[in-house]
Amino acid sequence: MSKKLTIALAGNPNSGKTTIFNNLTGARQHVGNYPGVTVEKKEGILKYKDYEINVVDLPGTYSLTAYSLDEIVARNFVIEEKPDVIIDIIDTFNLERNLYLATQFMELGVRLILAFNMHDLAEKHGLNIDRDKLSELLGTPIIFTVATKKKGMIELLDEIIKLAERKTKLEKTAIDYGEEIQEELTKLEDILSKDNNLIQKYPSRWLAVKVLENDSEVIKRITESSYSDDILGQVEKSSHHLENVFGDTPEAIIADRRYGFISGACSESVKKTYEMRHTISDKIDKVLINRILGLPIFLGLMWLVFQFTFKLSEPLMGWVEITQEWLGNLFGSMLPEGSAIQSLVIDGIIGGVGAVLIFVPIIFLLFLAMAVLEDSGYMARAAFIMDKLMHKIGLHGRSFIPILLGFGCNLPAIMATRTIEDRKDRFVTILVNPFISCGARLPVYALFIGAFFSQKVAGNVLFSLYLLGIMIAIIMAKIFRRFLFKGPAAPFVMELPPYRIPTIRGLFIHMWERGRVYLKKAGTIIFAGCVLVWFLSNFPWSPTYSKDYDTLLKQAQGNEERIVQLENKKAFEKMEKSFAGSLGRTIAPVFKPLGLDNWKLSVGLFGGFIAKEIVVGTLGTLHSVGEADEESQSLRRALQKEKRPDGSKMYSPLVAYALMVFVLLYIPCVATIAVIKRETNSWRWPIFTAFYTTAVAWIVAFIVYQGGKLLGLGI
Ligand code: GDP
Ligand code: MG
């Protein structure tokens, strides 16, 4: 029987945690150097000597406050799961900054090992560390490692086992906070120890420090204690006292003291043989985050990213379609012609899977491009460059990347908001993200621009839609920041990691990790949605038709043209009489003020809730042109001919534009809603998003249509 151990890998983002995790467990997790890549903890098993070690890779964090999700995840794991040993991976190159997190583990009283990773870089740059001395000063074992070369792994494992076998806890290296603070901490500890439940779970000293730091999670926990009045009363008193003495918040002083402790220990034991500051990265940064050149370079790179993504994904998307068609034919011939099961398989299932797969090329390529930017270290600079601008909107530099990703697909974009530490910034970024025009809306634009605008202006019309989305997002962000999520914007405290040349393997793992989430999350929901839409638009299965199509079809045998015509008419009538059709009729009047009161359109828009591109296919069926995509000329012609009840033309360029505006802004697709639910952890925000975006869409489309009419742009 092997003995079981659980160890957790913690550390700042980019310290090499994932690399060490992969070394230890043989897994292939993504290695990247943009904060927030590892958002959920990952686990792997490793056998060493007679131990079976469960290794958990925690999200990278700079600290263990309650300010960000990552930090709470990491902290709760340590407190609740009580791993046998914690390994704090330190980027030796940025030693003091990285040790800050270590001080917090020390305070938690856990069995801690410091892995001084990137020791190669540190050595190369002339950093000389007296390991024994520093280890003694910090009161924790230190192992030098070079994760990329698998150096130091055995030493690390041996130390883990040594520490785990030593049953006693580490002798506490309490950080010296100075007499004044220490006194208050003792008072707090005394009161806190009255509550046995609390003390059993958390070290009292840690609790005391945390309440002084005004840690929201801990305070919340305390309010549930039966001694909460006593404790909070003392916290109030102590904080007040300390603020009087130091003229600053306890939180700030405590942080100062921790840094003081670190720099004290380091100055005793670390020598820099020559100035480390002027590294290559600094030199590159002189250009890339240059005040004048920074922004143009950044925009240029973004342009390249989008060129790369969209140009390369085009042929790939073609292949997906061809495969889908081939599968449809294959299964179609195997199943009884005209049966519900054939329709379910071809239109519902294969169509549904296709709707998911069609975005795979775009999403994966976009993520690949993003991975290059992240792994090279540029992404952190992008956030830095955009920070000033984003602050004007009331957001943080880090909000920029999720917004950018939104142009590909809002799902990964919303997931990427996890890197935003400030909750207010994070929520606002999530709420406005659906206005960023994702790839799925493009087919709808392509169809209508192609039908109602000349080739010459097509590009501008498209660009104006993207721009409108951005503008609305900015306006809404300002409004939310003003009324819903008040408070000052978080300062920019992101570390600029050194530049590195990304490895091919890392890039692909990164792309796969992110893309997989799309496949999994979106796959299931979009798929289910497609089957639902299929059901609504195909049932009742055999409505009473106005004509006896079956007989007519038999009579028309040999006349291909007539057969197609009849089949399309039949399909149209079937959908007209379906549940979706009745729904469309019911909601159409709502769109009258927008000039969009057309039941076929309503059915299409309804389908768009499942995935925006479904609008196109649905319109195809409803205009009796059979199978259709955005390039379909017959659908474009049918749209151009579509009439209103009074006989006038349904669409004009103005109506088409109002429609595109509406499609741009209205309710995000069901998958996005699902992700918002997941990321905000409540139904409140996804429901709110569904309603407010639709309201905004209605209002803006109203303004466009009515305004356009007033300006005499025709109906
Ligand atoms: P994480 O964010 O903490 O999970 O860090 P990663 O494992 O993703 O590593 C960040 C980057 O540092 C990657 O590009 C690694 O290849 C690189 N890296 C990790 N460990 C070392 C090391 O010991 N030396 C050097 N030179 N690079 C390393
Ligand atoms: Mg990682």
Side-chain angles (χ1 to χ4, degrees), residues 191-200 225-227 231:
I191 301 185
L192 283 161
S193 3
K194 283 196 214 161
D195 186 336
N196 266 330
N197 288 335
L198 215 53
I199 286 308
Q200 253 160 27
S225 159
S226 38
Y227 297 94
I231 301 172

Side-chain angles (χ1 to χ4, degrees), residues 598-609:
N598 175 293
W599 71 270
K600 299 172 190 174
L601 203 50
S602 304
V603 179
L605 290 174
F606 169 75
F609 170 53

Side-chain angles (χ1 to χ4, degrees), residues 289-310:
I289 59 174
N290 179 287
R291 226 180 265 196
I292 299 159
L293 293 174
L295 195 62
I297 292 178
F298 168 67
L299 292 177
L301 283 171
M302 289 303 119
W303 184 82
L304 277 179
V305 164
F306 277 85
Q307 285 295 319
F308 166 82
T309 312
F310 290 107

Side-chain angles (χ1 to χ4, degrees), residues 11-20 30-35 37-38 57 60 89 117-121 145-149 375 500-503:
N12 287 16
N14 290 318
S15 55
K17 267 175 334 82
T18 304
T19 314
I20 290 196
H30 167 63
V31 177
N33 62 9
Y34 179 66
V37 168
T38 314
D57 186 18
I89 319 279
N117 195 35
M118 315 235 177
H119 193 244
D120 53 337
L121 288 181
T145 61
V146 181
T148 39
K149 302 213 175 76
D375 290 10
R500 291 195 185 91
I501 295 176
T503 62

Side-chain angles (χ1 to χ4, degrees), residues 136-191:
E136 191 194 314
L137 289 168
L138 297 174
T140 45
I142 293 172
I143 308 289
F144 288 153
T145 61
V146 181
T148 39
K149 302 213 175 76
K150 303 198 174 167
K151 274 195 200 155
M153 297 300 125
I154 298 294
E155 290 90 323
L156 197 58
L157 285 167
D158 285 335
E159 193 66 40
I160 290 169
I161 286 167
K162 206 168 105 192
L163 202 59
E165 277 177 351
R166 204 197 311 161
K167 290 286 175 274
T168 52
K169 280 198 180 166
L170 224 75
E171 69 261 40
K172 269 196 212 142
T173 16
I175 293 144
D176 182 12
Y177 286 113
E179 215 171 301
E180 296 277 355
I181 296 179
Q182 191 52 54
E183 241 169 60
E184 303 307 316
L185 286 176
T186 314
K187 279 186 215 161
L188 283 166
E189 271 187 81
D190 285 346
I191 301 185

